[in-house]
Coordinates of all heavy atoms in Angstrom, one line a residue:
L53 N -13.2 -1.8 -5.1 CA -14.1 -2.1 -6.3 C -15.5 -1.7 -6.1 O -16.2 -1.2 -7.0 CB -14.0 -3.6 -6.5 CG -12.7 -4.2 -7.0 CD1 -12.7 -5.7 -7.1 CD2 -12.3 -3.5 -8.4
L54 N -16.0 -1.8 -4.9 CA -17.4 -1.3 -4.6 C -17.5 0.2 -4.8 O -18.5 0.7 -5.2 CB -17.8 -1.7 -3.1 CG -19.1 -1.2 -2.6 CD1 -20.3 -1.8 -3.4 CD2 -19.3 -1.5 -1.2
S55 N -16.5 0.9 -4.4 CA -16.5 2.4 -4.5 C -16.7 2.9 -5.9 O -17.1 4.0 -6.2 CB -15.3 3.0 -3.8 OG -14.2 2.8 -4.6
F56 N -16.3 2.1 -6.9 CA -16.4 2.5 -8.3 C -17.9 2.4 -8.7 O -18.3 3.2 -9.6 CB -15.6 1.5 -9.2 CG -14.2 1.9 -9.3 CD1 -13.3 1.0 -8.7 CD2 -13.7 3.0 -9.8 CE1 -11.9 1.2 -8.7 CE2 -12.4 3.3 -9.8 CZ -11.5 2.4 -9.3
A57 N -18.7 1.5 -8.1 CA -20.1 1.4 -8.5 C -21.0 2.1 -7.5 O -22.1 2.6 -8.0 CB -20.4 -0.1 -8.5
W58 N -20.7 2.2 -6.3 CA -21.6 2.8 -5.3 C -20.9 3.4 -4.1 O -20.0 2.8 -3.6 CB -22.6 1.7 -4.8 CG -23.5 2.1 -3.7 CD1 -24.6 2.8 -3.9 CD2 -23.3 1.9 -2.3 NE1 -25.2 3.0 -2.7 CE2 -24.4 2.5 -1.7 CE3 -22.4 1.3 -1.6 CZ2 -24.6 2.4 -0.3 CZ3 -22.5 1.2 -0.2 CH2 -23.7 1.8 0.4
T59 N -21.4 4.6 -3.7 CA -21.1 5.2 -2.4 C -22.4 5.8 -1.9 O -23.2 6.2 -2.7 CB -20.0 6.3 -2.6 OG1 -20.5 7.3 -3.5 CG2 -18.7 5.8 -3.0
P60 N -22.5 5.8 -0.6 CA -23.8 6.3 0.0 C -24.1 7.7 -0.4 O -25.2 8.1 -0.6 CB -23.6 6.1 1.5 CG -22.5 5.2 1.7 CD -21.7 5.2 0.5
H61 N -23.1 8.6 -0.4 CA -23.2 10.0 -0.7 C -22.0 10.4 -1.5 O -21.0 9.7 -1.6 CB -23.3 10.8 0.6 CG -24.4 10.5 1.5 ND1 -25.7 10.9 1.2 CD2 -24.5 9.7 2.6 CE1 -26.5 10.5 2.2 NE2 -25.8 9.7 3.0
N62 N -22.1 11.5 -2.2 CA -20.9 12.0 -2.9 C -19.8 12.4 -1.9 O -20.1 13.3 -1.0 CB -21.3 13.2 -3.7 CG -20.2 13.7 -4.6 OD1 -19.0 13.4 -4.4 ND2 -20.5 14.5 -5.6
P63 N -18.7 11.8 -1.9 CA -17.6 12.1 -0.9 C -17.0 13.5 -1.0 O -16.3 13.9 -0.1 CB -16.6 11.0 -1.2 CG -16.8 10.6 -2.6 CD -18.2 10.8 -2.9
Y64 N -17.3 14.2 -2.1 CA -16.6 15.5 -2.4 C -17.6 16.6 -2.1 O -17.1 17.8 -2.1 CB -16.1 15.5 -3.8 CG -15.2 14.4 -4.1 CD1 -15.6 13.4 -5.0 CD2 -14.0 14.2 -3.5 CE1 -14.8 12.4 -5.3 CE2 -13.1 13.2 -3.7 CZ -13.5 12.2 -4.7 OH -12.7 11.2 -5.0
D65 N -18.8 16.4 -1.8 CA -19.8 17.5 -1.5 C -19.6 18.0 -0.1 O -19.6 17.2 0.9 CB -21.2 17.0 -1.6 CG -21.7 16.9 -3.1 OD1 -21.0 17.4 -3.9 OD2 -22.7 16.2 -3.3
I66 N -19.3 19.3 0.0 CA -19.1 19.9 1.3 C -20.4 20.6 1.7 O -21.0 21.3 1.0 CB -18.0 20.9 1.3 CG1 -16.7 20.2 1.0 CG2 -17.9 21.7 2.6 CD1 -15.5 21.1 0.8
D67 N -20.9 20.2 2.9 CA -22.2 20.8 3.5 C -21.9 21.1 4.9 O -22.0 20.3 5.8 CB -23.3 19.8 3.3 CG -24.6 20.5 3.7 OD1 -24.7 21.6 4.2 OD2 -25.7 19.8 3.5
M68 N -21.5 22.4 5.2 CA -21.1 22.8 6.5 C -22.2 22.7 7.6 O -22.0 22.5 8.7 CB -20.6 24.2 6.5 CG -19.3 24.4 5.7 SD -18.0 23.3 6.3 CE -17.5 24.1 7.8
A69 N -23.5 22.6 7.1 CA -24.6 22.5 8.0 C -24.6 21.1 8.6 O -25.2 20.8 9.7 CB -25.9 22.8 7.3
L70 N -24.0 20.1 7.9 CA -24.0 18.7 8.4 C -22.7 18.3 9.1 O -22.4 17.2 9.4 CB -24.2 17.8 7.2 CG -25.5 17.9 6.5 CD1 -25.5 17.0 5.3 CD2 -26.6 17.5 7.4
K71 N -21.8 19.3 9.5 CA -20.5 19.0 10.0 C -20.6 18.3 11.4 O -21.4 18.6 12.2 CB -19.6 20.2 10.1 CG -20.0 21.2 11.2 CD -19.0 22.4 11.2 CE -19.4 23.3 12.3 NZ -18.4 24.4 12.4
L72 N -19.7 17.3 11.5 CA -19.5 16.5 12.8 C -20.8 15.9 13.3 O -21.0 15.9 14.5 CB -18.8 17.4 13.8 CG -17.4 17.9 13.4 CD1 -16.9 18.9 14.5 CD2 -16.5 16.8 13.2
R73 N -21.6 15.4 12.4 CA -22.8 14.7 12.9 C -22.4 13.3 13.4 O -21.6 12.6 12.8 CB -23.8 14.6 11.7 CG -24.4 15.9 11.4 CD -25.5 15.8 10.5 NE -26.6 14.9 11.0 CZ -27.7 14.8 10.4 NH1 -28.0 15.4 9.3 NH2 -28.6 13.9 10.9
A74 N -23.2 12.8 14.3 CA -22.9 11.5 14.9 C -23.5 10.5 13.9 O -24.3 10.8 13.0 CB -23.6 11.3 16.2
P75 N -23.1 9.2 13.9 CA -23.6 8.2 13.1 C -25.1 8.1 13.2 O -25.7 8.1 14.3 CB -22.9 6.9 13.5 CG -21.7 7.4 14.1 CD -22.0 8.7 14.8
D76 N -25.8 7.9 12.1 CA -27.3 7.7 12.1 C -27.6 6.9 10.9 O -26.7 6.6 10.1 CB -28.0 9.1 12.2 CG -27.7 10.0 11.0 OD1 -27.3 9.5 9.9 OD2 -27.9 11.2 11.2
P77 N -28.9 6.6 10.6 CA -29.2 5.8 9.5 C -28.8 6.5 8.1 O -28.6 5.8 7.1 CB -30.7 5.6 9.6 CG -31.0 5.7 11.0 CD -30.0 6.7 11.5
R78 N -28.8 7.8 8.1 CA -28.4 8.5 6.8 C -26.9 8.5 6.6 O -26.4 8.3 5.5 CB -29.0 9.9 6.9 CG -28.7 10.6 5.6 CD -29.4 12.0 5.6 NE -29.0 12.7 4.4 CZ -28.9 14.0 4.4 NH1 -29.3 14.7 5.4 NH2 -28.5 14.6 3.3
F79 N -26.2 8.8 7.7 CA -24.7 8.8 7.6 C -24.2 7.7 8.6 O -24.1 7.9 9.8 CB -24.2 10.2 8.1 CG -24.6 11.3 7.2 CD1 -25.6 12.2 7.6 CD2 -24.1 11.5 5.9 CE1 -26.0 13.2 6.8 CE2 -24.5 12.5 5.1 CZ -25.5 13.4 5.5
W80 N -23.9 6.6 8.0 CA -23.5 5.4 8.8 C -22.4 5.6 9.8 O -22.4 5.1 10.9 CB -23.2 4.2 7.9 CG -24.3 3.8 7.0 CD1 -25.6 4.1 7.2 CD2 -24.2 3.0 5.8 NE1 -26.3 3.6 6.1 CE2 -25.5 2.9 5.3 CE3 -23.1 2.5 5.2 CZ2 -25.8 2.2 4.2 CZ3 -23.4 1.7 4.0 CH2 -24.7 1.6 3.5
L81 N -21.4 6.4 9.4 CA -20.2 6.6 10.2 C -20.1 8.1 10.6 O -19.1 8.6 11.1 CB -18.9 6.2 9.5 CG -18.8 4.7 9.2 CD1 -17.6 4.4 8.5 CD2 -18.9 3.9 10.5
G82 N -21.2 8.9 10.4 CA -21.2 10.3 10.7 C -20.6 11.1 9.6 O -20.4 10.6 8.5
T83 N -20.3 12.4 9.9 CA -19.7 13.3 9.0 C -18.4 13.9 9.5 O -18.2 13.9 10.7 CB -20.7 14.4 8.6 OG1 -21.0 15.1 9.7 CG2 -21.9 13.9 7.9
D84 N -17.6 14.4 8.6 CA -16.3 15.0 9.1 C -16.5 16.6 9.3 O -17.7 17.0 9.2 CB -15.2 14.8 8.0 CG -15.5 15.5 6.7 OD1 -16.5 16.2 6.5 OD2 -14.6 15.4 5.9
P85 N -15.5 17.3 9.6 CA -15.7 18.7 9.9 C -16.2 19.6 8.7 O -16.5 20.7 8.9 CB -14.3 19.2 10.3 CG -13.6 18.0 10.8 CD -14.2 16.8 10.0
F86 N -16.2 19.0 7.5 CA -16.7 19.7 6.4 C -18.0 19.2 5.9 O -18.5 19.6 4.9 CB -15.7 19.6 5.2 CG -14.3 20.2 5.5 CD1 -13.2 19.4 5.8 CD2 -14.2 21.6 5.6 CE1 -12.0 20.0 6.0 CE2 -13.0 22.1 5.9 CZ -11.9 21.3 6.1
G87 N -18.6 18.3 6.7 CA -20.0 17.8 6.4 C -20.0 16.7 5.3 O -21.0 16.3 4.8
R88 N -18.8 16.1 5.1 CA -18.7 15.0 4.1 C -19.0 13.7 4.8 O -18.6 13.5 6.0 CB -17.4 15.0 3.4 CG -17.1 16.2 2.7 CD -15.7 16.2 2.1 NE -14.7 16.2 3.2 CZ -13.4 16.4 3.0 NH1 -12.9 16.5 1.8 NH2 -12.6 16.4 4.1
D89 N -19.6 12.8 4.1 CA -19.9 11.4 4.7 C -18.7 10.6 4.9 O -17.9 10.4 3.9 CB -20.9 10.7 3.7 CG -21.3 9.4 4.3 OD1 -21.5 9.2 5.5 OD2 -21.4 8.4 3.4
V90 N -18.4 10.2 6.1 CA -17.2 9.4 6.4 C -17.2 8.1 5.7 O -16.1 7.6 5.2 CB -17.0 9.3 7.9 CG1 -15.8 8.4 8.3 CG2 -16.8 10.7 8.5
A91 N -18.3 7.4 5.7 CA -18.3 6.1 5.0 C -18.0 6.2 3.5 O -17.2 5.4 3.0 CB -19.7 5.5 5.2
S92 N -18.5 7.2 2.9 CA -18.2 7.4 1.4 C -16.7 7.8 1.3 O -16.0 7.3 0.3 CB -19.0 8.6 0.9 OG -20.4 8.3 0.9
L93 N -16.1 8.6 2.2 CA -14.7 8.9 2.1 C -13.8 7.6 2.3 O -12.8 7.5 1.7 CB -14.4 9.9 3.2 CG -14.9 11.3 2.9 CD1 -14.7 12.2 4.2 CD2 -14.2 12.0 1.7
L94 N -14.2 6.7 3.2 CA -13.5 5.5 3.4 C -13.5 4.6 2.1 O -12.5 4.0 1.8 CB -14.0 4.7 4.6 CG -13.6 5.3 6.0 CD1 -14.4 4.6 7.1 CD2 -12.2 5.2 6.2
L95 N -14.7 4.5 1.5 CA -14.8 3.7 0.3 C -13.9 4.2 -0.8 O -13.2 3.5 -1.5 CB -16.3 3.7 -0.2 CG -17.2 2.8 0.7 CD1 -18.7 3.1 0.2 CD2 -16.9 1.4 0.5
V96 N -13.9 5.6 -1.0 CA -13.1 6.2 -2.0 C -11.6 6.1 -1.6 O -10.8 5.9 -2.5 CB -13.6 7.6 -2.3 CG1 -12.7 8.3 -3.3 CG2 -15.0 7.6 -2.9
G97 N -11.3 6.3 -0.4 CA -10.0 6.2 0.1 C -9.3 4.8 -0.1 O -8.1 4.7 -0.2
A98 N -10.1 3.8 -0.2 CA -9.6 2.5 -0.4 C -8.9 2.4 -1.8 O -7.9 1.7 -1.9 CB -10.7 1.4 -0.3
R99 N -9.4 3.1 -2.8 CA -8.8 3.2 -4.1 C -7.4 3.8 -4.0 O -6.5 3.2 -4.6 CB -9.6 4.1 -5.0 CG -10.9 3.5 -5.4 CD -11.5 4.4 -6.5 NE -12.9 4.8 -6.1 CZ -13.5 5.8 -6.7 NH1 -12.9 6.5 -7.6 NH2 -14.7 6.1 -6.3
A100 N -7.3 4.9 -3.3 CA -6.0 5.5 -3.2 C -5.0 4.6 -2.5 O -3.8 4.6 -2.8 CB -6.1 6.9 -2.4
S101 N -5.4 3.9 -1.5 CA -4.5 3.0 -0.7 C -4.0 1.9 -1.7 O -2.8 1.6 -1.6 CB -5.3 2.3 0.4 OG -5.7 3.3 1.4
I102 N -4.9 1.3 -2.5 CA -4.4 0.3 -3.5 C -3.4 0.9 -4.5 O -2.4 0.3 -4.7 CB -5.6 -0.3 -4.2 CG1 -6.6 -0.9 -3.3 CG2 -5.2 -1.2 -5.3 CD1 -6.3 -2.3 -2.9
V103 N -3.7 2.1 -5.0 CA -2.9 2.7 -6.0 C -1.5 3.0 -5.4 O -0.5 2.8 -6.0 CB -3.5 4.0 -6.6 CG1 -2.6 4.8 -7.5 CG2 -4.7 3.6 -7.4
V104 N -1.5 3.6 -4.2 CA -0.2 4.0 -3.6 C 0.6 2.7 -3.3 O 1.8 2.7 -3.6 CB -0.5 4.8 -2.3 CG1 0.8 4.8 -1.4 CG2 -1.0 6.1 -2.6
G105 N 0.0 1.7 -2.9 CA 0.7 0.4 -2.6 C 1.3 -0.2 -3.9 O 2.5 -0.6 -3.9
V106 N 0.5 -0.2 -5.0 CA 1.0 -0.8 -6.2 C 2.1 0.1 -6.8 O 3.1 -0.4 -7.3 CB -0.2 -0.9 -7.2 CG1 0.3 -1.2 -8.6 CG2 -1.1 -2.0 -6.7
V107 N 2.0 1.4 -6.8 CA 3.0 2.3 -7.3 C 4.3 2.2 -6.5 O 5.4 2.1 -7.1 CB 2.5 3.8 -7.3 CG1 3.6 4.7 -7.6 CG2 1.4 3.9 -8.4
A108 N 4.2 2.1 -5.2 CA 5.4 2.0 -4.4 C 6.1 0.7 -4.6 O 7.4 0.7 -4.8 CB 5.0 2.1 -2.9
V109 N 5.4 -0.4 -4.7 CA 6.0 -1.7 -5.0 C 6.7 -1.7 -6.4 O 7.8 -2.2 -6.6 CB 5.0 -2.8 -4.8 CG1 5.6 -4.1 -5.3 CG2 4.7 -3.0 -3.3
T110 N 6.0 -1.1 -7.4 CA 6.5 -1.1 -8.7 C 7.8 -0.3 -8.8 O 8.7 -0.7 -9.4 CB 5.4 -0.5 -9.7 OG1 4.3 -1.3 -9.6 CG2 5.9 -0.5 -11.1
I111 N 7.8 0.9 -8.2 CA 9.0 1.7 -8.2 C 10.2 1.0 -7.5 O 11.3 0.9 -8.0 CB 8.7 3.1 -7.5 CG1 7.8 4.0 -8.3 CG2 10.1 3.8 -7.2 CD1 7.3 5.2 -7.6
G112 N 9.9 0.4 -6.4 CA 10.9 -0.4 -5.7 C 11.4 -1.6 -6.5 O 12.6 -1.9 -6.5
L113 N 10.5 -2.3 -7.2 CA 10.9 -3.4 -8.0 C 11.7 -3.0 -9.2 O 12.8 -3.6 -9.4 CB 9.6 -4.1 -8.4 CG 9.8 -5.4 -9.3 CD1 10.4 -6.5 -8.4 CD2 8.5 -5.8 -9.9
V114 N 11.3 -1.9 -9.9 CA 12.1 -1.5 -11.0 C 13.4 -1.0 -10.7 O 14.5 -1.4 -11.2 CB 11.2 -0.5 -11.8 CG1 12.1 0.2 -12.9 CG2 10.0 -1.1 -12.4
L115 N 13.5 0.0 -9.7 CA 14.8 0.5 -9.3 C 15.7 -0.5 -8.6 O 16.9 -0.5 -8.9 CB 14.6 1.7 -8.3 CG 14.0 3.0 -8.9 CD1 13.8 4.0 -7.9 CD2 15.0 3.5 -10.0
G116 N 15.1 -1.3 -7.8 CA 15.9 -2.4 -7.1 C 16.5 -3.4 -8.1 O 17.7 -3.7 -8.0
T117 N 15.7 -3.8 -9.0 CA 16.2 -4.7 -10.1 C 17.2 -4.1 -10.9 O 18.3 -4.7 -11.2 CB 15.0 -5.3 -10.9 OG1 14.1 -5.9 -10.1 CG2 15.5 -6.2 -11.9
A118 N 17.0 -2.9 -11.4 CA 18.0 -2.2 -12.3 C 19.3 -2.0 -11.5 O 20.4 -2.2 -12.1 CB 17.4 -0.9 -12.7
L119 N 19.2 -1.5 -10.3 CA 20.5 -1.2 -9.6 C 21.2 -2.5 -9.2 O 22.4 -2.6 -9.2 CB 20.2 -0.4 -8.3 CG 19.8 1.0 -8.6 CD1 19.4 1.7 -7.2 CD2 21.0 1.8 -9.2
G120 N 20.4 -3.6 -8.9 CA 21.0 -4.9 -8.6 C 21.7 -5.5 -9.8 O 22.8 -6.0 -9.7
L121 N 21.1 -5.4 -10.9 CA 21.7 -5.9 -12.2 C 22.9 -5.1 -12.5 O 24.0 -5.6 -13.0 CB 20.7 -5.8 -13.3 CG 19.6 -6.9 -13.3 CD1 18.5 -6.6 -14.3 CD2 20.2 -8.3 -13.4
L122 N 22.9 -3.8 -12.4 CA 24.0 -2.9 -12.7 C 25.2 -3.2 -11.7 O 26.3 -3.3 -12.2 CB 23.6 -1.4 -12.6 CG 24.7 -0.4 -12.9 CD1 25.2 -0.6 -14.3 CD2 24.2 1.0 -12.6
A123 N 24.9 -3.4 -10.5 CA 25.9 -3.7 -9.5 C 26.6 -5.1 -9.8 O 27.8 -5.2 -9.6 CB 25.4 -3.7 -8.1
S124 N 25.8 -6.0 -10.2 CA 26.4 -7.3 -10.5 C 27.1 -7.4 -11.8 O 28.1 -8.2 -11.9 CB 25.3 -8.4 -10.5 OG 24.4 -8.2 -11.6
A125 N 26.7 -6.5 -12.7 CA 27.4 -6.5 -14.0 C 28.7 -5.7 -14.0 O 29.7 -6.0 -14.6 CB 26.5 -5.9 -15.1
R126 N 28.7 -4.6 -13.2 CA 29.9 -3.7 -13.1 C 30.4 -3.8 -11.7 O 30.0 -3.1 -10.8 CB 29.5 -2.3 -13.4 CG 28.9 -2.1 -14.7 CD 30.0 -2.1 -15.7 NE 29.5 -1.7 -17.1 CZ 30.2 -1.8 -18.1 NH1 31.5 -2.1 -18.1 NH2 29.7 -1.5 -19.3

Side-chain angles (χ1 to χ4, degrees):
L53 292 175
L54 174 67
S55 72
F56 283 111
W58 175 79
T59 55
H61 301 280
N62 186 341
Y64 306 112
D65 283 347
I66 295 176
D67 188 354
M68 294 305 285
L70 298 173
K71 70 178 184 176
L72 299 175
R73 289 189 55 173
D76 61 23
R78 184 172 171 211
F79 299 105
W80 299 342
L81 298 176
T83 60
D84 70 354
F86 298 107
R88 299 176 296 189
D89 180 38
V90 174
S92 299
L93 289 171
L94 285 173
L95 286 169
V96 172
R99 289 188 234 165
S101 296
I102 298 276
V103 170
V104 166
V106 168
V107 167
V109 168
T110 303
I111 290 171
L113 181 70
V114 169
L115 287 177
T117 301
L119 289 174
L121 287 172
L122 181 63
S124 68
R126 301 281 185 188

